[in-house]
Every structure is written in structure tokens, then in C-alpha cells.
Amino acid sequence: MFNIMKLWLPILAITAATGCLNNAQEKLVDADFVLKDGEIVNSNSAYIPAQCYAKIKHQSGHQSNPCYSCHVDGVRPNFLHDDSGLQQTFDFTDYSSKNRYSNLFKDRSKEVEAMSDKAIDEYVATSNYFDKDGAIKINKVLKNIPKNWDANQDGIWNGFTPDTYFAFDNQGFDIDPSGNPTGWVAFSYYPFLGGFMPTNGSTDDVLIRLPEYFRQDSNGQYSTAIYKLNLAIVESLIRQKDITIAATNEKNLNVDLNKNGVLDTAQKVVYSWAPLKDIHMSYVGKAKQVYEQKSLKIAAGLYPKGTEFLHSVRYLKVDDKQVSMSDRLKELRYSKKITWNNYSQLSKSVSSEIKERHDFPNRVSQYHSPKKGGIEQGLISGRGWNYQGFIEDHSGELRPQNYEETLACMGCHTGVGATTDSSFAFPRKFAFDNFQNGYYHWSQKSLVGVADPMRQDGKHEYSHYLENTLSGDEFGSNLEVMNKFSQSGQVSEHKISALKNDISLLLLPSAKRARTLNKAYKVIVDEQSYIYGRDPHVLPLKNMYKTIPVGEDT
């Protein structure tokens, strides 16, 4: 039987009273944390993010509607059409209309002032993912799972075990210490608008991994070239557009990638999928064989079953050059597509949700764990995906997220029109003509020099968001952005012009702001108060509703 008294993990903690690091302190696995199925402490509607409680009209008199970034008419097969609903009206249940994110209204000035810059810099520079030997820390704990993490008390960890080493080659492939690819691939993307822009407190990355047979040639041998082509085919289907590739001999693959009717040299994957007209697409290598055996489904806008995403959320590292991604993780989020739902099933799922909202307007949404392992495996959506996460415990080490903490992930991945097959980042991947064809990790190249992308209406995406919000966040609280880009309530055209050529001018905060937000988040870690709001800030947020005026126009 596992003896928790024998498992010690080294930790680095900020001592608030002195503002310095205590390097000598060692602590047990968090004995106060217990993983329970379905436990709610604060809010049954935790799937609604804190940003949704922001006032549209700010105290400054400026009126904005950042709701448009999430609540749009979905593109098939996202059948959520909420640009005329949630984008224009505060449509909450009576229960969810109460803002239970009490952290938004806290003053953390004293706690933040007690931390020195040196202490917070050292803290965020210390990895809580790897130990001193380069092994993945939490895996040692999961191998001999503590009783308080073993939700179903079967003696084993039933959830995802982290297996990426964040060691990427010049094509974005993650390589393990033995020199073998793990299957994880890093890709660059345009950070989603609002809270996930680093200026608002966190850096992040996203990795994708396709099932093993997508990485194999027709003989079942691993092939980087085959994997890259299958990734391009998935990207073409997800984005429903042509995708540029390196010159490829189609005869070796027996697949007409460029759809010109002959097997020649292809320099792009042509999106052409209309099964009712007998127009199909195919994967290559072993995946092609699996598809032809009817064991694999293909549809526009959908990932293949078994697709995985890994998403690390991190602190802001400050050095002499610029703000970048820290070694320390705030969270490690994992998702896997565990069931295939066709268009009809996805449409019925949305229709059922709409009917339930109509028939039971005050009923909150329900999300459940898989039966095996319970909350150890996270939560499942009605769209075929399983979500699970790890987060810092009060000593800074990673622990599993509890039910309510994971519930916070579900609303955005299942309830907005902006996603494609429940994902945000991959549809926003950088194109082939970027560094390493868009497959690289932010540790290999930063956001500096990246141009502001164009929207379908011809406006620049980040410029438009800034013009709409002024502060560059949903809360109207990013004074640094306001002072940098606007004057007297108007956005500076000169600054907007510069932003169009370099989005880092908006997305990356100053060193001072980065350290302040790191400290503010560390207070939340110390409190373990994630369920009351994870957004870092020092002073209480003023532009927030404590109770939403249900039905009011936005």
C-alpha cells in the first residue's frame, strides 16, 4: 500500500512575510487535496467564465462588447448560432446570473507588495514539471497514486499521464530523452482574443498528437514525412481550405493530394470534400489503409477520433530582452477525442440543448466523468471530447484538478460558436510560409514581428478588438494597454498602424506588469482559491456585475 509519508517533493515557496524564496523547505504531496467525483463548493455554473460577468458599459463611459469574439454563428459542423443570442443579450439562468467569482472583487495589494521581484522571478523560473534529472515530476506520484487522489480507490491512476518533454526539433516534433518522437507536435497560432493574450497574465502553448497510425507509413513504420502530410490533411479539413505543403510525390502515396486528377507532384493539399457528390479526401500511409477498411471516419471540420491536445498555461518570464514563457506551469490541460459524432448527431446535440434551455430555463448544464476512474479522467462533453487538467497545489507542485476546477473548462469548449470541433488554437495555426512552416514552439520563436491577421470583413483582428475594448481585455482593467494605445477614450491611429505589423506590441506586457500579474496569481495559488476566479489582478475589478441583469441588451 502506498505510504504518503514516504513521498517528499522538493518545492520552492514564496514567503509572503519576507518576500523571499525558501529553497530548503520540503513538503509532502498536498494532503489537504482530495479528488472527489461531482463535488461543487462554490458554483454549479462554473462552466461560465468570469469574463461573461463584465459590464458592457464601463465607468469611463466607454461601451464595448467583447462577447463577439466567442459568441458567433458557428461554421458547420459547429451548429451553435449565438451571435444573435449571447452576443447581444445577457441570457443567464436565475442561478447563473449571480457572479460567484468573489476573487474578482478582492484587493491583493498587501500580498503582492510583500513579494520581491527577485522572489517571483526565481519562482516562475523554477520548473514544477521536470525534476533536476529531467524526469516528469508528477509521473512519480501518479505511479504510486496517493489515496486522496484515487477517486475510485482502485489503486491506480486512470487519467492522462503527462508524456511530453517540451524538447522540440526544427520541425516542431517533441523528442524524448532517448531521442524518440513522442508524437506531440508544437504549432504556432494567433492567441485567442482577451484573457489568453499574454498581456492579461499568462503565456500558453498548444501541442497536437494524432493517433499512432497517422504517424506510420503503409508498412507500419514511423515516418515524419507521413505524419506531416496527415497533419496538413487534418488542417485542411478543419479549416476547410487548401493547405500548402512541401513538394510531394503523390505516386509514392497513391493519393491525389492536389485534386488535379493525376498522381504527380503536389505542393498543396486541396480541400475538396462533398461526399453526396462522391467527392472525398483521404489520409496517407497507414491511416489511408485504416480509412479504406472503414475503421476511420473523415468529415470537414472534424478531427479524427483519438486526436489529442495538450495545453500548458504558464507564468510570464521576465529577462533582459522581453517577456516570454516561463518554465513553471500554472496548469497543464489535456483533451482527447474519444467518440466520433457525425453532423446529424452534432446537430441533434445542439438542438437538444436549445430545447432544454427552453423547457427548463433555470436548469444549469450538466457534465459528467467517464465511469472508469471517475474524475481522475476529467469530464466529457456532448461533442465527443474528454477534458482533464493539472494545476498548482499550494506548494507550487502540479496536482489533478478537481471536478469544479475542470468544470471551468467545459463552457468555452462546448458552448460557443467560435470553436471548430471544440478547439480554439489549431484553426488559428500560422500558415506554411511562416517559420518552420508554422510548426514550432514559442520557446523556439516569439510573437515579435508577427503581423495582425485579417478578418473576413477586411479588418485586422487584434486592432479591431483593441478598438472595441480599448483595454485589450474583457474586464476593462488593463490600464497599461489603455495608456499605450488610447488617448481621451480614442484609439491612437499611429499605434494601431504599428500594431498591424507587430502584434507583440499589444500581446506582450511590460516587465513591471508581468511581475505584478505573476505575484497576483501566486496569491491565488497560496489560497488554492481557483474556483472563486483564476484571473490575476491586484485591485478589485470595477467593471463587473455582481448580479447579471438577465435579458438586458449588450
Side-chain angles (χ1 to χ4, degrees):
M1 182 64 67
F2 175 75
N3 184 350
I4 194 171
M5 295 302 292
K6 291 183 178 178
L7 184 60
W8 291 77
L9 291 178
I11 61 129
L12 290 170
I14 292 180
T15 304
T18 61
C20 64
L21 287 170
N22 181 355
N23 290 305
Q25 185 180 7
E26 290 186 328
K27 188 174 180 63
L28 297 172
V29 170
D30 192 348
D32 297 328
F33 171 75
V34 179
L35 198 61
K36 294 181 181 179
D37 278 327
E39 184 178 49
I40 293 291
V41 174
N42 179 50
S43 175
N44 285 298
S45 57
Y47 53 85
I48 300 174
Q51 286 84 347
C52 291
Y53 292 92
K55 294 179 179 178
I56 300 305
K57 189 171 184 179
H58 299 167
Q59 287 188 339
S60 63
H62 174 71
Q63 186 161 334
S64 67
N65 187 345
C67 312
Y68 80 85
S69 59
C70 289
H71 297 294
V72 297
D73 277 349
V75 176
R76 184 197 68 171
N78 186 339
F79 295 99
L80 280 167
H81 300 298
D82 55 359
D83 74 335
S84 59
L86 294 175
Q87 188 183 137
Q88 298 183 23
T89 306
F90 283 118
D91 188 11
F92 287 68
T93 66
D94 290 344
Y95 177 88
S96 62
S97 65
K98 180 179 178 180
N99 184 353
R100 292 172 170 81
Y101 293 112
S102 56
N103 275 351
L104 299 172
F105 306 103
K106 281 188 175 181
D107 187 333
R108 303 189 179 105
S109 300
K110 291 182 179 179
E111 293 90 340
V112 167
E113 289 173 3
M115 299 183 203
S116 69
D117 289 350
K118 181 175 183 293
I120 196 65
D121 285 353
E122 289 178 350
Y123 181 77
V124 304
T126 304
S127 177
N128 55 353
Y129 186 79
F130 295 113
D131 64 17
K132 58 181 175 49
D133 298 319
I136 300 172
K137 279 187 177 184
I138 196 171
N139 289 357
K140 296 180 179 179
V141 189
L142 299 177
K143 187 176 181 180
N144 297 289
I145 182 173
K147 280 190 174 182
N148 57 331
W149 290 14
D150 190 4
N152 64 354
Q153 296 299 298
D154 65 352
I156 60 173
W157 174 250
N158 293 286
F160 168 69
T161 299
D163 59 351
T164 183
Y165 287 86
F166 295 103
F168 302 98
D169 65 14
N170 61 5
Q171 299 180 80
F173 291 88
D174 180 53
I175 307 298
D176 71 16
S178 300
N180 298 313
T182 64
W184 289 109
V185 190
F187 59 92
S188 54
Y189 54 92
Y190 296 101
F192 197 74
L193 301 170
F196 273 107
M197 301 193 309
T199 182
N200 294 319
S202 298
T203 54
D204 71 336
D205 57 18
V206 183
L207 317 181
I208 187 173
R209 180 164 64 185
L210 300 181
E212 187 174 17
Y213 54 82
F214 280 82
R215 310 172 226 156
Q216 298 174 337
D217 62 21
S218 57
N219 296 317
Q221 299 298 310
Y222 177 84
S223 169
T224 297
I226 291 294
Y227 195 9
K228 290 174 67 175
L229 285 172
N230 278 326
L231 284 165
I233 295 166
V234 169
E235 184 181 357
S236 177
L237 286 162
I238 288 296
R239 304 180 72 175
Q240 301 184 43
K241 62 183 293 186
D242 298 351
I243 299 298
T244 302
I245 57 174
T248 299
N249 187 337
E250 296 176 333
K251 293 180 181 179
N252 296 334
L253 305 169
N254 196 29
V255 176
D256 184 11
L257 295 171
N258 58 16
K259 295 290 183 180
N260 66 352
V262 296
L263 296 179
D264 55 5
T265 299
Q267 292 185 307
K268 62 182 176 180
V269 174
V270 170
Y271 171 72
S272 182
W273 186 84
L276 296 180
K277 298 179 180 179
D278 201 27
I279 299 174
H280 303 273
M281 296 178 68
S282 173
Y283 295 116
V284 298
K286 188 71 174 179
K288 177 178 183 290
Q289 297 176 2
V290 176
Y291 173 60
E292 291 173 344
Q293 293 166 1
K294 309 298 183 183
S295 299
L296 174 64
K297 306 287 187 180
I298 291 180
L302 295 178
Y303 296 98
K305 180 182 176 182
T307 299
E308 300 168 278
F309 285 104
L310 197 64
H311 176 201
S312 78
V313 183
R314 307 185 185 220
Y315 291 85
L316 299 156
K317 179 182 177 181
V318 179
D319 58 28
D320 295 335
K321 297 180 180 179
Q322 64 188 35
V323 172
S324 58
M325 175 176 287
S326 70
D327 290 330
R328 174 170 293 275
L329 274 61
K330 291 181 176 181
E331 301 178 47
L332 185 66
R333 302 175 176 180
Y334 172 75
S335 62
K336 182 175 183 177
K337 187 167 184 176
I338 58 174
T339 59
W340 174 271
N341 294 314
N342 60 32
Y343 283 12
S344 176
Q345 290 168 320
L346 291 169
S347 179
K348 287 179 181 177
S349 175
V350 173
S351 297
S352 296
E353 292 174 6
I354 294 172
K355 184 178 186 303
E356 181 165 336
R357 290 177 189 175
H358 177 271
D359 294 346
F360 305 98
N362 285 314
R363 180 180 292 177
V364 296
S365 298
Q366 300 292 314
Y367 297 96
H368 304 284
S369 305
K371 290 182 179 180
K372 181 183 177 182
I375 189 58
E376 293 174 45
Q377 289 186 305
L379 299 176
I380 53 177
S381 73
R383 311 284 190 266
W385 291 84
N386 189 179
Y387 296 92
Q388 183 197 332
F390 300 93
I391 201 165
E392 284 184 284
D393 67 16
H394 65 263
S395 67
E397 299 297 341
L398 293 176
R399 63 158 173 81
Q401 286 191 156
N402 64 29
Y403 177 88
E404 192 170 352
E405 289 162 348
T406 303
L407 185 60
C409 301
M410 305 307 290
C412 292
H413 285 287
T414 63
V416 299
T419 58
T420 302
D421 199 2
S422 299
S423 73
F424 286 91
F426 197 65
R428 299 171 63 84
K429 177 187 168 292
F430 286 1
F432 183 85
D433 58 358
N434 283 265
F435 177 68
Q436 292 187 188
N437 306 140
Y439 283 102
Y440 64 89
H441 190 253
W442 298 124
S443 60
Q444 297 176 293
K445 186 181 183 300
S446 74
L447 284 163
V448 174
V450 174
D452 194 352
M454 296 285 285
R455 292 158 36 107
Q456 289 186 344
D457 60 6
K459 298 177 181 178
H460 289 274
E461 185 174 33
Y462 294 104
S463 301
H464 179 69
Y465 186 81
L466 182 58
E467 290 170 339
N468 186 277
T469 64
L470 287 187
S471 70
D473 71 351
E474 297 89 346
F475 303 127
S477 64
N478 191 330
L479 297 180
E480 179 172 281
V481 165
M482 293 179 72
N483 293 333
K484 184 176 182 180
F485 285 94
S486 64
Q487 298 175 346
S488 303
Q490 298 293 325
V491 174
S492 166
E493 290 300 323
H494 173 70
K495 294 293 181 65
I496 285 291
S497 179
L499 177 63
K500 291 175 182 177
N501 297 313
D502 187 356
I503 60 176
S504 72
L505 298 175
L506 168 64
L507 299 190
L508 298 183
S510 66
K512 181 179 179 180
R513 177 171 170 81
R515 288 191 174 105
T516 298
L517 294 178
N518 284 342
K519 294 174 184 179
Y521 186 82
K522 183 60 172 65
V523 176
I524 299 174
V525 174
D526 292 340
E527 297 172 341
Q528 290 292 283
S529 61
Y530 305 115
I531 60 175
Y532 302 102
R534 305 182 198 184
D535 301 281
H537 61 87
V538 178
L539 298 175
L541 298 181
K542 297 179 179 180
N543 297 316
M544 301 299 299
Y545 283 114
K546 290 190 175 181
T547 301
I548 286 285
V550 178
E552 181 174 303
D553 292 342
T554 61

